[in-house]
Amino acid sequence: MVADATGAAAPRRRMLARIDTPVTDHWQDGHLHNDHFKQGYSTHLSLWQRIEHITWAWFMMVMSTAGLSLLCHGTPHQFRGLRTIGKIFLILDLVFFVPLTTAMVVRFVRSPPALVKSLTHTTESLFAPCFFISISSLLCCFATYGGPATGPWFPETLWVLFWTYLSVTLVCTIAQFWLLFRGGNMPVHSMTPAWILPVFPPMLSGVVAANAASLMPAGRAFTMIIAGLSAEAMGFMVSIFVYPLYIGRLMQDGLPAPAMRPGMFVPVGPPGYMTVALIGMSRALPAEHGYFEKHPLAPEVLSILALWIGVWLWCLTFWFFSVAVVSVIASAIRRELRFSMSWWAFVFPNVGFVLATGMIGEELDSEGIQWVCSGMSILLVAVWFLVIVAQVRAVIRRRILWPGHDEDRQ
């Protein structure tokens, strides 16, 4: 192996400087140096100029916070006040969602071409689905916490919101993939797990159905479950088609650049949330309605199938999770892990993994698995606090919301 002028091995340098690193970055002595960082400390930008660099990736913070709200409700070992904490996370999530949405509107109103650019940008466009994923997460939280505390108007509202959400996200997902297929500017060598994100919004309709179906009359519950299952299956199958590209890219080109490695947790999401949706919908089946009235054994059979298919999917989730953990730890040990909004992938995809673990433990009546889930929940809450602190620090130090540092960089 031949060393370059800086003393760093050339193959190693090529690995570190791989895709998604800004063109102004350069590596010296194993550390990243960015010309924008040096410029950032001596250059002043107004608040409006910084808001112009808020991207769709910021909604990953909303997704993750809503995930913790669901986790507080779904973790097997409950204690007094835990669900109140979950409601606090839900309120905090709304506090994040409304200003972020407003900031995005301001960004696009101040510069109308920015909307088209953001939806066609090779990096930022992949995070546009995070806006809809945030909405699905909020719908799940509303169904979980709002159902028992509201009147008959609430199921009606959820029914309308569910179908509106499913319709809009299906159209947007098809349109976005069509644009990606038509563009021809995303070679496999540049593949990142974010390629899976466009199919997440309709896929999570199954999780919404799992949380909301129990609040519906039998006929609507059946219809919602069928629609949710169809959308969940479609999203999961598309993810399965993308996985070979991801693994092939890792085999051929190695691990992503250190700053992008938190995104390796994104593939954990589809099988994890598929498990949550299957088991959740099996619990909400209207046992004495329509198809199930004609086939009284069907609910029990489907419940068994949901559990064992869930165990099978859980193993795939665990594999993706383990590979991502090892890769991120390797970067952290070498001090190559700098903050980006992809750090929120530490939280949201793993919420599905933790919830799936707890639901499997409950179905199997396994106290050991349930305690594992509780331990994972505590760790995930700690990671959420770590990421939010790192994000605030990055904003203050001008590592994000600054030209050349965000997903909208050229």
Side-chain angles (χ1 to χ4, degrees), residues 205-395:
S205 298
V207 183
V208 177
N211 284 274
S214 60
L215 305 175
M216 302 291 163
R220 287 189 173 183
F222 179 77
T223 305
M224 181 177 284
I225 288 172
I226 295 298
L229 177 62
S230 302
E232 190 79 30
M234 181 201 71
F236 179 71
M237 291 305 298
V238 173
S239 301
I240 289 293
F241 298 151
V242 176
Y243 283 159
L245 298 177
Y246 171 55
I247 296 174
R249 189 263 183 206
L250 292 178
M251 286 288 192
Q252 186 168 356
D253 299 322
L255 296 171
M260 298 295 107
R261 291 188 190 177
M264 295 178 69
F265 285 99
V266 172
V268 173
Y273 283 107
M274 182 70 174
T275 300
V276 172
L278 287 177
I279 296 179
M281 286 187 286
S282 72
R283 292 175 176 177
L285 291 174
E288 298 180 356
H289 174 78
Y291 174 85
F292 299 108
E293 186 177 10
K294 297 178 182 178
H295 304 276
L297 294 179
E300 183 178 359
V301 171
L302 292 176
S303 178
I304 295 170
L305 283 174
L307 171 62
W308 293 102
I309 292 174
V311 172
W312 177 67
L313 293 173
W314 186 94
C315 295
L316 177 62
T317 307
F318 175 76
W319 186 83
F320 279 120
F321 174 82
S322 301
V323 171
V325 167
V326 174
S327 302
V328 169
I329 290 176
S331 296
I333 290 175
R334 297 165 68 174
R335 298 184 179 181
E336 297 166 348
L337 194 64
R338 62 184 177 89
F339 181 82
S340 68
M341 293 306 295
S342 65
W343 275 38
W344 285 108
F346 286 143
V347 182
F348 180 74
N350 294 323
V351 168
F353 183 30
V354 177
L355 287 173
T357 303
M359 295 175 85
I360 290 172
E362 291 174 351
E363 292 294 312
L364 293 175
D365 292 325
S366 172
E367 191 68 16
I369 295 177
Q370 293 180 49
W371 275 113
V372 169
C373 174
S374 297
M376 294 168 69
S377 301
I378 294 171
L379 288 175
L380 205 56
V381 172
V383 169
W384 182 91
F385 279 103
L386 173 66
V387 176
I388 197 74
V389 170
Q391 180 174 340
V392 172
R393 182 171 176 267
V395 171

Side-chain angles (χ1 to χ4, degrees), residues 130-257:
C130 293
F131 172 75
F132 292 109
I133 300 173
S134 300
I135 294 176
S136 70
S137 303
L138 285 169
L139 290 178
C140 289
C141 291
F142 293 157
T144 299
Y145 291 101
T150 53
W153 62 270
F154 189 73
E156 293 287 336
T157 304
L158 270 182
W159 175 256
V160 174
L161 291 176
F162 171 80
W163 287 106
T164 303
Y165 173 83
L166 179 57
S167 303
V168 172
T169 54
L170 275 175
V171 171
C172 290
T173 295
I174 294 170
Q176 185 169 10
F177 272 114
W178 180 80
L179 288 173
L180 292 175
F181 297 156
R182 183 172 175 265
N185 56 357
M186 300 181 69
V188 175
H189 291 283
S190 68
M191 196 276 176
T192 69
W195 286 19
I196 303 173
L197 287 176
V199 80
F200 258 86
M203 181 179 68
L204 291 177
S205 298
V207 183
V208 177
N211 284 274
S214 60
L215 305 175
M216 302 291 163
R220 287 189 173 183
F222 179 77
T223 305
M224 181 177 284
I225 288 172
I226 295 298
L229 177 62
S230 302
E232 190 79 30
M234 181 201 71
F236 179 71
M237 291 305 298
V238 173
S239 301
I240 289 293
F241 298 151
V242 176
Y243 283 159
L245 298 177
Y246 171 55
I247 296 174
R249 189 263 183 206
L250 292 178
M251 286 288 192
Q252 186 168 356
D253 299 322
L255 296 171

Side-chain angles (χ1 to χ4, degrees), residues 27-58:
W27 289 89
Q28 184 176 355
D29 301 326
H31 297 284
L32 179 68
H33 300 268
N34 189 297
D35 296 335
H36 288 295
F37 290 169
K38 297 178 182 178
Q39 181 184 3
Y41 290 106
S42 59
T43 303
H44 175 74
L45 293 182
S46 68
L47 174 62
W48 295 117
Q49 288 173 313
R50 298 196 72 175
I51 286 178
E52 289 176 355
H53 294 284
I54 286 183
T55 66
W56 300 107
W58 277 69

